[in-house]
Amino acid sequence: MKRHARILLLLLGLLVAACANAGSRGKANALEKAQYAYSAALRWGDIRGAWMLQDPAWRNTHPLSDFDLERYKQLQITSYQVMDSSGGDVDEAVRTVEIGLANRNTMAARTMTYREIWHYDAAGKTWWVTSGLPDFWNGQ
């Protein structure tokens, strides 16, 4: 009987560990998908799409004006390279990217570094950017 109890406890422990691992893996997959969608939106010039991946609370305090949208339309992203990626804790991740861009009017090209800060919203089961859109004019 003791042997059966030990085996049962061992199996129960393995089951709990497997469930915990599956949950964290699901969150990591969700982060990867959100980061891919965000980088794709920026690369393709879909500022509204990138805007919708910003944390809703951040969007409320930093509204995107028509003037801002017109400024973003003047730029073409030429490259988007992930330089560093780290997960500070289970609900936050930081990613540093180098963005190449060209001004459509002047054809001036340059690169800049942009630091994305991501936060996991457990209630919505989604990742949000909390660092705002890249500031291509003043750097970041």
Side-chain angles (χ1 to χ4, degrees):
M1 183 67 179
K2 283 186 177 184
R3 181 177 175 166
H4 291 293
R6 285 183 187 167
I7 292 173
L8 184 60
L9 283 175
L10 178 63
L11 290 174
L12 183 60
L14 290 172
L15 180 63
V16 168
C19 289
N21 189 30
S24 65
R25 187 70 211 140
K27 199 188 295 187
N29 285 340
L31 175 61
E32 189 176 311
K33 286 179 183 179
Q35 287 177 332
Y36 180 81
Y38 186 69
S39 62
L42 287 175
R43 283 191 311 258
W44 287 102
D46 180 13
I47 296 304
R48 287 186 193 271
W51 176 251
M52 294 311 295
L53 291 168
Q54 303 293 317
D55 183 87
W58 192 91
R59 288 193 316 247
N60 287 337
T61 59
H62 300 85
L64 186 65
S65 69
D66 290 336
F67 176 76
D68 294 329
L69 284 171
E70 290 302 314
R71 286 183 78 196
Y72 279 106
K73 287 181 185 177
Q74 294 176 11
L75 302 172
Q76 173 68 46
I77 304 297
T78 58
S79 65
Y80 192 94
Q81 180 71 39
V82 176
M83 305 304 287
D84 184 39
S85 184
S86 63
D89 64 31
V90 294
D91 289 337
E92 187 170 291
V94 177
R95 187 166 80 158
T96 304
V97 296
E98 184 178 83
I99 302 175
L101 59 138
N103 184 305
R104 294 178 194 267
N105 299 323
T106 64
M107 297 308 289
R110 62 186 173 90
T111 60
M112 67 169 285
T113 302
Y114 168 57
R115 185 171 180 244
E116 301 170 358
I117 301 172
W118 292 81
H119 180 74
Y120 185 71
D121 175 12
K125 296 188 178 183
T126 190
W127 286 90
W128 298 109
V129 179
T130 60
S131 52
L133 292 170
D135 183 351
F136 295 127
W137 301 272
N138 295 321
Q140 199 170 10

